[in-house]
Amino acid sequence: MAVISELIDSGLRLKQQQKLRGAIEHFRQLHATYPENARIQFELANCWLAFGVPENALPHYRELLALPKAKSLPPKDLPRLYTQLCATLHQLDESQEALEIAKAGLQLHPNYRPLRAWQIFALEATGAHRLAVLDALELMLESLAPSRWDVFEDDIKQVVRQMRARLESVETAQIAAGISKETAPLPPSAASPSTEKSVGKQRIDLRAAEDTSVVDAAEHEVAVTVLPPARKAARRRILPQLGKRSVRIDISTGDDEPAADDPPASAAFKIPVDD
């Protein structure tokens, strides 16, 4: 056994030195020589996963999880086996099986935080977003170092438990109704736009959440007519009489300041006045 332990340590040194190809070949030869040794097979699967080929690691993890091979692993490697298998399935988009493996492993090792983290990823991947948030919050509370805010820790944990109980009751009702996925109403901003503009019309979505006089937030169509600004009327200025028998009338276009290059558009007339 001492010889096998030294051979395993040699392969682990290759892995630590990022010589993954050499580590894989080393453990492959060991596995061919000692096919019943669970530790060698476990490290071979770990090397395949670290090398980025999870499909080669998966059959080894599954075989190890089957009894009685799993019992022959060192006790410290048993929670790692569930964690590595869950991570492998997650990388292969087998999220539902990954979640089942995580739950099975946490029944045996409820305090193993890496496995709890992978269960959160599996929950999120399967659509259980709210439950994933609750698990992440619980894991965060347990992982934080002691600080002054710890006086609120019991209250926060109690609220999390209440939220989990409500969520589980909702999920139970959904399962009874034949709903397999989480459903939630869209927020007002996502359900429909607050305003929609069209040519000649403006559609206004009246939302009176706090107005008790409005029973239903219905939609009303309001016709809006856009008119051009009114033109300035021409001004007519009458100057005082130029004599006893006539007056002078000036007529202009109404421009207060005509362009410098244009002659003023105006005219003056003298009209006789009867006695």
Side-chain angles (χ1 to χ4, degrees), residues 134 137-138 141 149 151-166:
L134 290 178
L137 181 57
E138 288 181 342
L141 290 173
W149 75 268
V151 295
F152 302 103
E153 184 174 355
D154 293 338
D155 295 333
I156 295 174
K157 288 183 177 180
Q158 182 179 358
V159 173
V160 172
R161 286 194 294 267
Q162 293 172 355
M163 293 171 63
R164 186 181 296 278
R166 288 196 299 268

Side-chain angles (χ1 to χ4, degrees), residues 3 132 168 171 177 183 193 203 209 238 244 246 270 272:
V3 175
E168 289 176 352
E171 289 180 345
T183 57
R203 182 181 296 273
I238 303 177
K244 292 182 179 181
S246 66
K270 288 184 179 180

Side-chain angles (χ1 to χ4, degrees), residues 187-197 202-207 218-220:
S189 59
S192 61
S194 58
T195 58
E196 296 178 0
K197 294 183 179 179
Q202 183 179 22
R203 182 181 296 273
I204 303 174
D205 187 5
L206 300 178
R207 299 187 181 276
E219 292 185 350
H220 298 267

Side-chain angles (χ1 to χ4, degrees), residues 12 26 28 40 42 105 118 123 134 149 162 170 203 235:
L12 292 177
H26 178 81
R28 285 180 65 180
I40 292 175
F42 180 62
W118 280 107
L123 286 169
L134 290 178
W149 75 268
Q162 293 172 355
V170 171
R203 182 181 296 273
R235 288 180 298 177

Side-chain angles (χ1 to χ4, degrees), residues 28-100:
R28 285 180 65 180
Q29 293 179 6
L30 286 181
H31 181 54
T33 306
Y34 305 99
E36 298 301 322
N37 190 292
R39 176 74 188 283
I40 292 175
Q41 190 173 6
F42 180 62
E43 296 301 342
L44 174 59
N46 292 341
C47 287
W48 276 121
L49 186 61
F51 192 59
V53 190
E55 56 270 20
N56 286 356
L58 183 60
H60 292 293
Y61 286 135
R62 281 179 169 165
E63 183 179 344
L64 285 168
L65 194 59
L67 295 176
K69 264 199 171 183
K71 290 185 177 180
S72 61
L73 278 174
K76 67 180 181 65
D77 287 336
L78 284 174
R80 289 182 60 204
L81 172 59
Y82 283 96
T83 304
Q84 297 290 85
L85 177 55
C86 182
T88 302
L89 291 168
H90 182 77
Q91 291 187 27
L92 295 174
D93 294 328
E94 299 290 343
S95 303
Q96 188 59 44
E97 187 179 354
L99 181 59
E100 294 172 359

Side-chain angles (χ1 to χ4, degrees), residues 209-232:
E210 298 180 358
D211 188 0
T212 56
S213 63
V214 180
V215 178
D216 186 15
E219 292 185 350
H220 298 267
E221 288 192 359
V222 179
V224 177
T225 304
V226 180
L227 298 176
R231 299 181 61 184
K232 189 184 295 183

